[in-house]
Amino acid sequence: MTQPFECEVRFMIADIEGFEAKLARLGARIAHPYEFTDHYYRPAHEQWDPLVKNIRIRQWMQPQKEPVIYFVKLEILSIEGLQFKRSLYPEGKLPLFTGPLETCRTLLADLGFEFWFSLRKQKGRLWEIPDHHFCTAVEYIDGLGWTAELEFEGTDPQKANARIQQALDVLKIPRHQVTHKPISTIYLENHV
């Protein structure tokens, strides 16, 4: 769902059947299924705050594509009481290299990065909600459960905030269940 300067929030889903029934009532349809594993790396001789930046290899299972090294740098914004993350590069997840998995691993090692952890996203589905003009990505993550994200174009953070708030209202997601944290940070908080 990459958008220019993407602005994003995430929330956990306790009842996937109920959430998908809600999507069906809203006229949502699956735009495309996906599945991948993100292999996160960190600098061998420096400490990065995963809330601010990360580098990872995305290994695709569905659709079948070559692995990609992505770099992400974020800022956390708070507008009208809602915190969300915003990418600082226009491309959002900045693709640095596409090629075989071993080449990606070797390249990151040559650049001074070491493997940190892997996070697998399964049963991913990008749902389009055409009547309300937005999409939500829903996925199962090993070790966390079902989660969803809302992502909007973030050139204008005020407009992105309004779109996020509107989507949360349509989905009836309470604000206290919403987080600005990247999934890597959420995963680390639950597994380290």
Side-chain angles (χ1 to χ4, degrees), residues 35-39 57-59 61 118-121:
E35 187 168 328
F36 57 81
T37 299
D38 279 340
H39 305 284
I57 302 169
R58 177 157 293 171
Q59 182 182 9
M61 283 68 161
S118 293
L119 192 148
R120 183 168 182 198
K121 296 185 177 185

Side-chain angles (χ1 to χ4, degrees), residues 6-83:
E6 62 189 24
C7 290
E8 180 182 310
V9 295
R10 184 171 289 277
F11 53 93
M12 300 303 291
I13 302 170
D15 173 13
I16 188 61
E17 291 83 12
F19 187 74
E20 288 183 339
K22 181 190 309 184
L23 291 173
R25 286 190 301 275
L26 291 169
R29 61 178 177 260
I30 297 173
H32 71 273
Y34 62 90
E35 187 168 328
F36 57 81
T37 299
D38 279 340
H39 305 284
Y40 286 84
Y41 283 71
R42 61 183 171 191
H45 305 292
E46 181 185 345
Q47 183 136 3
W48 281 5
D49 180 350
L51 193 59
V52 176
K53 58 184 171 179
N54 67 67
I55 195 163
R56 63 188 180 247
I57 302 169
R58 177 157 293 171
Q59 182 182 9
W60 287 95
M61 283 68 161
Q62 182 186 12
Q64 290 190 347
K65 302 184 208 179
E66 279 204 285
V68 180
I69 296 174
Y70 286 114
F71 174 73
V72 177
K73 187 172 183 187
L74 305 167
E75 66 179 343
I76 306 303
L77 299 178
S78 183
I79 300 175
E80 298 173 8
L82 179 71
Q83 283 190 302

Side-chain angles (χ1 to χ4, degrees), residues 88-99:
L88 292 176
Y89 287 98
E91 297 85 358
K93 289 178 276 298
L94 188 63
L96 300 180
F97 175 79
T98 301

